[in-house]
Amino acid sequence: MKLNLLGISASPRGKANSYYLLTQAMQAVRESEPEAEITVYDFKNKTFGGCIHCYGCRKKGHEGQCTIKDDYQELADLWVQADAIIYSVPVYHMSIPGQLKCFIDRLGQSGITKSLPSASQTGFTKSLKPMGIISQGMHIFSGQEHAITELVNHALLMGCLPVAGNLWQGYLGASGWTECLADRKALAQLSEQGTIGAQAAVDAARTLGHNVITLAQVVRAGREVVFGQGKD
C-alpha cells in the first residue's frame, strides 16, 4: 500500500516562500519514495473560523465533523487520511498564522484521534503520523523556532511524531529567512543566487522531507510486524 503524504502550505499568500520550501521537501520525498501519494494543500483563498467550543463535533453520530461550515472539514479529512504530514508556515507575530491556529484548535478539540482505528486492545491508535515542520520569515531571528515549537506541541498533542531537521541547518525542523525581502519569490531567487542562508533552508527542507517519509516507512513496517497489518 502506498504511503500518503500531506503537505500543508499555511501561507495565506499562496504559492510564495513557504510553498517554495514545501516543494523542495516534496521533491526529496519523491526521490526517496517514488510511489508515495503526495497531496499539497494551499491555504490561499481558504477560510478557517475559530473554534467556538460548542462540542457539536463530539455529539453521537458526528464523528469529529465540525458544526462550522467553512474549509476546515476538507483539510481535516485529508489530515486523518495521511500517513505523514509536512507543514510549511510563514512567521506571523513570532508564531504561526491565525488561519492555521484556527484549524489546529478545531482539530484538537474534535477528539478526532479517538475515532482513528485502533491497532490493538491496548488503545494504541494509528495516529502516529511522522510530522515535519518548515518555517520562514523576513528576518533572520523573527520567530522561526517559536513557530516550529508551536507545531511540535501540536504534533505531540495529536499523538504524532515530530521529525528533527539536519542539525546545524535545522534543529527542530527546517527554517529560513528572506533577507528582509517581502517578495513572494524571494527564497527561490536567493537560492538561485547561491546565498548561504537560502541554500541552507533548501537543504534543510529537503532533508526534512527525506526524514519524514523514511520514518513513515519505519512506522508502517513496525505496525505490520507487531500487529500483522498495515494502515486500515
Side-chain angles (χ1 to χ4, degrees), residues 74-114:
E74 175 188 28
L75 182 52
D77 290 342
L78 292 172
W79 194 98
V80 171
Q81 295 163 10
D83 294 298
I85 298 169
I86 298 178
Y87 287 96
S88 187
V89 304
V91 175
Y92 276 37
H93 208 69
M94 294 192 73
S95 188
I96 62 177
Q99 295 90 334
L100 179 58
K101 184 62 165 67
C102 287
F103 170 73
I104 64 175
D105 281 352
R106 288 161 69 181
L107 189 72
Q109 291 285 28
S110 71
I112 205 163
T113 52
K114 296 179 181 179

Side-chain angles (χ1 to χ4, degrees), residues 121-142:
Q121 296 299 319
T122 62
F124 177 86
T125 63
K126 293 192 175 182
S127 57
L128 288 175
K129 305 174 190 290
M131 185 179 291
I133 302 156
I134 303 168
S135 181
Q136 59 79 31
M138 283 183 62
H139 309 122
I140 192 168
F141 299 118
S142 57

Side-chain angles (χ1 to χ4, degrees), residues 22 30 53 77 120 229:
L22 181 61
R30 183 64 71 202
H53 214 249
D77 290 342
S120 75
Q229 62 186 53

